[in-house]
Amino acid sequence: AVAIPASSALHAGLTRLPPMAGAGLAAPFGVNAAQVWSVAGGALALAAVLVAPSLRTSSPGVRGRRELLARSGADVLLVALAAVGWWQLRDQPAGSGSPVDAVRVLAPALLLIAGSAVMLRLVWPALRLVERLAGRARGLLVPLAAFEAARRPQAVAAGLLVALGCAAATFGIGFDATWQRSQQDQADLAVGTDLALTLTAPPTAGQGARVGEATGGEVSPATDRGVAVGQWLGGAGDPPRLIAVDTTRAGALLRGRLRDGQTWNAVGAVLAPSTRVSGVAVPAGAALSLTGNATGATPLTVTPRLLLEDATGLRTPCTGAPVPLDGNAHPLPDCATAGGLRLVAVSLPFAIEPGNVGTGYADPLAEPPAGDSRVAVTLTVAGSGSASSPWTATSAGPAPGQLGDPAVTLTGTPAGTPAGTRLRMTTTVALKGPPEAARTLVATAFPAPGPVPVAVSARFADEAGSRPGSRLDLTVGLTPVQVSVAEVLPAVPSAPGAAAVLADFDALSRALAVSGDFDVPVDAWWVGRPAGDDLAELGLGGLTTRASEAARLTGGPLQAGLPAVLRLLVPAAVLLMLAGIVLHVTFDLRARAVEVARLRGLGMTRREIRAVLLGQHVGILLPLLAAGAVVGALATRAVAPLLVRSDTGAAPVPEVLPVWPWAAQAVLLAALTVACALAVSAVVVVQARLADAAHLRVAS
């Protein structure tokens, strides 16, 4: 009668505390039929257990053996049920319905009960061993306490209660730590970094610096989009994903649990290029001009395209108007819109000057011009000093044979002089061939990178049949990029559970630039170790942080109830255990009142009697608490990871690892020991005062 309204009031109070209150789960006080039936059924079951008649036989020895056999049969049945529950829990499909929910409730309870019952079998032999050792001690107190502790068969029920209560409390703390750690791991991997700013428009030069000033962290451009791997487009609606970021700072940028002993710095060292690109410094507002000459009779034009890199590693193109190769200097548009830019690549697509009908491809019916044209183009960056890194010239596909002997030479004067740095590019342009043949000279401040080293997720490796050393072709935008698998990771940051590829942003942009594609895909800014997240004024896109994602996973309407349940489970188990101990000790001492009076009659003082009784019960409680802690630890390891699910009901990514918080468990066990000792002491003191000579006279 008291439990029904009390449980309703407790539930209503819990829903008004975080995280349930924050998730909008506050509930009013009320009683329902299921609650009434649960309390009534529990009371009837408890009454049935308490009034069940004991096994009676004419022979005490046969009775003891039958009791042991009956209890052992119950233990075996509990262990079998617990094993079946664990097996069904392990093999349950992700996102199952209510039948599996019942298994998730019953399996931990069965495991805790079965473990406590089995551990109880090990406590009594240990106490009997202590009894034998105590027989060698001098004096009466220690042997008497050990003798009574080892020979109290009525303490079995209390022992099961103590072990089960301790197991439930320790399991509750362990499961809570495991669940919290899993939600944080899922948040880390889902975001991929500390702060991700998803862009709604292509970034501009210098934008990363503003993001860095607003956050105070390490900023890197990031690519996060679907790609094609050869002819493989992935599953329905789930294409392979490409994640590219500055892996030279992987330890500061990337988040997500790896294998034991593996670090993101080690992964980044495998993926990042061995040298950084220096390029040609382009001061803010610097004037750029292009001068070109062609030796052939057919007039040619070039449409210059520059690739500029800022301090955050962002590479943005700057395209000029078509420039005739007439020997004159032609100014280029204002590309130096921000400070700290460096020119890292130049693309020069050559074409026949429009208007020359009959001499070029402007007339589709005209014959293509014959012969080759030797071309020399000079790009001048005013006010810039020379750069030390060598430059490389290549002919971009798909018909690289249309350009012969491409070369590039870098000359410069001291920084700040009007002459600046000159980048001279020469090649021979073949005017024969199909009209669609590309004649593009690409000059880069780095050599041709070759296959880009990448790390792939375990799912990608399974579905694509790749392993370390495999060569694959990725289609990034419209440009094919050859990659080499260097690592197979459990999962790739920001792509949990997906078939994903992780690449270095610098290495990927180099491969695209050498192919003549300066449109490096940038979808987001990733920030590592930010001091703040005040990015609303920039208006660049949506913001996601690890902290906000973890708060969503732990405080959402579907998840908020679990921490509240665990907050109730631990104190409820402790209170139930203490109440059972008080009742057991009171009953035991009342039943032994005559024995205590006899000890008083033999000359023992009340202090000595209290010491014997306290030693007896504490001697029983300590191994029971230890046994309960062992059962709780085993249950945490075996069951807790199987109970955790993602917010979609699927198996969480990364894999759940059991967590045993030693500090919290040590505090709990110490508190349980002290509380049990205080409870036993209080009962012993009260009951020992009642055990005087009157009991002995009445009994005789």
Side-chain angles (χ1 to χ4, degrees):
V2 175
I4 293 175
S7 59
S8 297
L10 179 61
H11 174 262
L14 284 175
T15 60
R16 286 166 171 77
L17 297 176
M20 296 187 70
L25 298 179
F29 175 85
V31 177
N32 54 57
Q35 179 186 7
V36 175
W37 281 110
S38 298
V39 174
L44 291 176
L46 180 61
V49 171
L50 292 177
V51 302
S54 302
L55 293 175
R56 296 180 179 177
T57 62
S58 57
S59 172
V62 174
R63 176 183 175 184
R65 288 193 296 270
R66 288 189 178 181
E67 288 180 351
L68 178 62
L69 179 62
R71 293 196 300 266
S72 299
D75 294 350
V76 172
L77 180 60
L78 285 173
V79 171
L81 291 175
V84 171
W86 176 83
W87 172 69
Q88 291 187 353
L89 191 63
R90 186 194 63 175
D91 293 343
Q92 65 176 331
S96 302
S98 57
V100 174
D101 294 337
V103 172
R104 296 179 69 186
V105 172
L106 294 177
L110 286 173
L111 189 63
L112 291 174
I113 296 173
S116 300
V118 171
M119 292 300 295
L120 198 61
R121 296 296 174 198
L122 304 178
V123 170
W124 305 120
L127 290 176
R128 291 189 179 95
L129 178 60
V130 173
E131 177 193 3
R132 296 193 191 100
L133 297 177
R136 305 174 184 177
R138 297 180 179 179
L140 182 62
L141 298 182
V142 175
L144 187 59
F147 178 84
E148 292 294 340
R151 298 176 180 271
R152 306 305 295 177
Q154 66 269 30
V156 172
L160 180 61
L161 180 63
V162 172
L164 182 58
C166 182
T170 53
F171 173 74
I173 292 180
F175 179 44
D176 181 61
T178 299
W179 186 80
Q180 296 286 350
R181 170 66 184 274
S182 177
Q183 304 310 308
Q184 186 62 60
D185 287 345
Q186 293 178 60
D188 292 349
L189 195 61
V191 180
T193 185
D194 294 321
L195 184 152
L197 178 62
T198 304
L199 299 175
T200 56
T204 58
Q207 187 180 95
R210 296 194 297 273
V211 173
E213 292 174 358
T215 60
E218 299 192 38
V219 180
S220 169
T223 301
D224 185 354
R225 60 179 57 192
V227 294
V229 183
Q231 301 298 320
W232 180 49
L233 301 178
D238 188 17
R241 291 175 61 183
L242 171 65
I243 310 297
V245 71
D246 183 2
T247 59
T248 60
R249 297 176 290 168
L253 286 172
L254 299 183
R255 296 291 179 263
R257 196 178 69 233
L258 287 168
R259 303 182 187 92
D260 292 340
Q262 192 177 27
T263 64
W264 283 115
N265 281 330
V267 175
V270 176
L271 303 182
S274 57
T275 58
R276 305 295 294 177
V277 178
S278 57
V280 175
V282 181
L288 292 88
S289 61
L290 191 74
T291 304
N293 293 284
T295 60
T298 303
L300 299 178
T301 63
V302 64
T303 304
R305 203 171 193 211
L306 313 182
L307 186 63
L308 302 170
E309 177 182 342
D310 65 9
T312 61
L314 175 67
R315 291 174 178 171
T316 54
C318 181
T319 304
V323 174
L325 303 182
D326 55 5
N328 297 324
H330 298 270
L332 298 181
D334 184 13
C335 297
T337 56
L341 297 179
R342 304 190 74 84
L343 178 67
V344 296
V346 178
S347 174
L348 299 177
F350 298 102
I352 297 176
E353 185 176 347
N356 292 279
V357 179
T359 62
Y361 298 137
D363 184 358
L365 301 179
E367 291 292 330
D372 298 336
S373 180
R374 187 65 182 173
V375 173
V377 178
T378 300
L379 174 66
T380 303
V381 181
S384 174
S386 60
S388 59
S389 63
W391 282 65
T392 302
T394 58
S395 177
Q402 297 297 309
L403 296 181
D405 300 327
V408 58
T409 304
L410 182 66
T411 60
T413 58
T417 60
T421 300
R422 296 184 179 89
L423 195 66
R424 178 178 174 83
M425 295 154 283
T426 59
T427 186
T428 300
V429 180
L431 300 181
K432 294 181 180 180
E436 66 274 10
R439 297 173 175 85
T440 303
L441 172 67
V442 178
T444 58
F446 44 83
V452 178
V454 298
V456 300
S457 64
R459 177 183 170 187
F460 183 98
D462 292 339
E463 295 183 0
S466 59
R467 59 182 184 276
S470 299
R471 296 289 180 90
L472 303 170
D473 289 324
L474 304 183
T475 302
V476 183
L478 299 176
T479 304
V481 176
Q482 190 177 56
V483 300
S484 174
V485 178
E487 286 274 355
V488 177
L489 303 175
V492 169
S494 82
V501 179
L502 175 65
D504 180 76
F505 184 83
D506 183 9
L508 177 65
S509 61
R510 292 189 193 191
L512 293 173
V514 169
S515 300
D517 185 359
F518 285 8
D519 294 316
V520 183
V522 178
D523 304 300
W525 288 105
W526 282 17
V527 183
R529 300 169 183 168
D533 56 1
D534 187 12
L535 296 171
E537 295 182 357
L538 299 181
L540 300 178
L543 178 66
T544 306
T545 65
R546 287 198 305 145
S548 64
E549 182 67 10
R552 184 187 72 83
L553 292 178
T554 56
L558 296 179
Q559 299 87 6
L562 182 60
V565 170
L566 295 176
R567 288 177 183 175
L568 180 61
L569 172 63
V570 175
V574 172
L575 291 176
L576 184 63
M577 182 182 68
L578 293 177
I581 290 174
V582 171
L583 292 176
H584 164 73
V585 175
T586 302
F587 172 79
D588 182 69
L589 292 180
R590 286 180 178 177
R592 297 176 58 198
V594 175
E595 298 179 17
V596 174
R598 287 172 179 171
L599 293 176
R600 287 278 290 145
L602 292 175
M604 292 186 66
T605 64
R606 286 184 176 178
R607 177 178 297 180
E608 292 174 334
I609 292 176
R610 288 196 297 266
V612 170
L613 295 176
L614 184 61
Q616 168 198 336
H617 289 94
V618 171
I620 296 176
L621 291 175
L622 289 180
L624 291 176
L625 291 176
V630 171
V631 173
L634 294 177
T636 300
R637 182 175 182 83
V639 176
L642 303 178
L643 297 176
V644 181
R645 282 290 179 265
S646 68
D647 57 337
T648 61
V653 180
E655 181 183 6
V656 182
L657 295 180
V659 178
W660 184 257
W662 289 99
Q665 299 288 8
V667 171
L668 173 66
L669 292 175
L672 288 179
T673 303
V674 173
C676 291
L678 291 177
V680 171
S681 300
V683 176
V684 166
V685 169
V686 173
Q687 293 298 318
R689 289 180 179 177
L690 302 178
D692 51 18
H695 289 86
L696 183 58
R697 289 195 298 270
V698 171
S700 60

